[in-house]
Amino acid sequence: ALGSTFGNLAFIDRSDNTVLTDQNLLGNEIVDMEMISDTLWVLTTQFVSVYLYSESLQRFQFRESYQEFNATIGRFSSLAYADKRIWLGSEIGLISAPSNFLQVNLYSGANWALQTQVEGLPSSMINDIVSGTGTSLLIATSAGLSSYDGSTFQTLAIGDIRHISLAANGDIFVTNRQTVFKYDGSQLIQQNSIRWTDITDLLVDNSGDVWIGTLKRGIRNLTTGEKIYRDGPLDNYIGEIHIDNLGRIWCTTGLPKDERRQGIFVYTGAEW
């Protein structure tokens, strides 16, 4: 399943590569998803929704959305499943409820619990959460990396942690705005750093390769150096254009005095 910033949810059937688009969340930015057995949880910036798989229809069907949490959330950032609960990261803390929505009324804000810095988090600003081993959670906050064993939060490292990925061998990787770190059990060890853009996501694949999403500059495999990006300038506003004596096209992106200065690009005849 793929979720878009516009609320489109696409289900891809790998057997024949057909795509079914669901628009029940249209107009709401989808920020995270988690599939647990026959249930798909979909998180937008403002609420969380649940889809159930229908054997008869051979597809996921929208069931309901939950928007009442007994608190003003601001914006959700991430979602995870652990200890038979669904966990939501937000600007005000960690919000959770029993995942069995067929037996528990999740329309009621009373069935959602809020945990914040008061309960031991480094910060109430949650940027990312992932399921750890067993029933544990790993939590990225604006003030540090935290773990939760179901009863106690433990701060593992200090810093503005934006993204987390748990490798197949149990290694923990995190990022701040522009740097990837590995947690060695006591501290963060810098692995890679990028310039000119921000890291928007992090994944360590089954081969142990470290992938990052970047703002406007595509996807990068930091292990192999592979880059996947749209071939072209980063802005529709083209300033100066120049053709050099080798026939290459040079251009600046962004208008004069435009704050979106996106850099200088060259077209070699094959690619930008």
Side-chain angles (χ1 to χ4, degrees):
L2 298 173
S4 80
T5 55
F6 301 104
N8 289 304
L9 188 60
F11 296 96
I12 303 173
D13 188 335
R14 294 183 179 178
S15 64
D16 57 7
N17 289 325
T18 56
V19 178
L20 175 66
T21 301
D22 179 276
Q23 295 188 327
N24 280 284
L25 309 180
L26 196 62
N28 297 281
E29 180 183 352
I30 296 173
V31 294
D32 206 354
M33 291 184 286
E34 182 85 14
M35 189 177 298
I36 304 112
S37 185
D38 62 351
T39 304
L40 176 67
W41 292 86
V42 181
L43 184 67
T44 74
T45 56
Q46 302 299 317
F47 58 86
V48 65
S49 301
V50 64
Y51 287 72
L52 270 184
Y53 188 77
S54 169
E55 289 290 348
S56 60
L57 296 176
Q58 294 290 292
R59 62 181 176 88
F60 279 94
Q61 285 186 295
F62 172 78
R63 287 297 299 263
E64 50 203 39
S65 294
Y66 307 115
Q67 305 185 51
E68 178 54 56
F69 305 99
N70 269 2
T72 302
I73 302 304
R75 181 184 175 93
F76 284 117
S77 61
S78 51
L79 175 153
Y81 171 79
D83 198 22
K84 297 182 180 180
R85 295 180 71 84
I86 197 73
W87 302 83
L88 312 178
S90 78
E91 293 181 341
I92 66 167
L94 194 61
I95 298 165
S96 68
S99 61
N100 191 347
F101 68 96
L102 295 176
Q103 296 182 1
V104 179
N105 177 20
L106 297 189
Y107 284 115
S108 170
N111 287 321
W112 292 87
L114 172 64
Q115 292 165 291
T116 70
Q117 193 171 2
V118 174
E119 281 74 36
L121 283 163
S123 167
S124 297
M125 173 67 77
I126 309 297
N127 294 321
D128 196 12
I129 48 176
V130 300
S131 301
T133 57
T135 60
S136 67
L137 287 174
L138 293 169
I139 306 151
T141 81
S142 62
L145 173 67
S146 179
S147 66
Y148 183 62
D149 62 6
S151 60
T152 304
F153 291 101
Q154 179 183 359
T155 299
L156 305 179
I158 301 299
D160 181 14
I161 309 299
R162 303 291 183 92
H163 308 283
I164 313 172
S165 185
L166 188 64
N169 63 0
D171 287 343
I172 300 170
F173 289 81
V174 302
T175 79
N176 58 19
R177 192 167 65 90
Q178 293 185 319
T179 304
V180 177
F181 301 88
K182 181 179 178 180
Y183 179 68
D184 71 352
S186 61
Q187 62 181 331
L188 298 178
I189 307 299
Q190 181 173 329
Q191 304 294 296
N192 302 86
S193 187
I194 63 171
R195 300 175 64 190
W196 313 119
T197 188
D198 288 351
I199 296 173
T200 58
D201 209 349
L202 171 70
L203 174 69
V204 182
D205 66 22
N206 292 333
S207 300
D209 287 2
V210 178
W211 293 81
I212 59 169
T214 63
L215 184 64
K216 288 193 176 183
R217 296 180 185 262
I219 301 170
R220 302 185 187 188
N221 185 322
L222 297 180
T223 305
T224 65
E226 179 184 1
K227 299 179 182 179
I228 304 172
Y229 55 86
R230 185 176 65 183
D231 187 28
L234 293 186
D235 202 302
N236 289 329
Y237 289 95
I238 305 298
E240 300 292 332
I241 299 177
H242 173 72
I243 301 178
D244 65 20
N245 57 8
L246 296 178
R248 297 175 300 183
I249 301 174
W250 295 77
C251 71
T252 60
T253 55
L255 298 174
K257 299 183 180 180
D258 182 5
E259 293 182 358
R260 294 176 301 174
R261 297 180 297 267
Q262 298 297 313
I264 300 172
F265 291 81
V266 58
Y267 182 66
T268 64
E271 64 179 359
W272 286 92

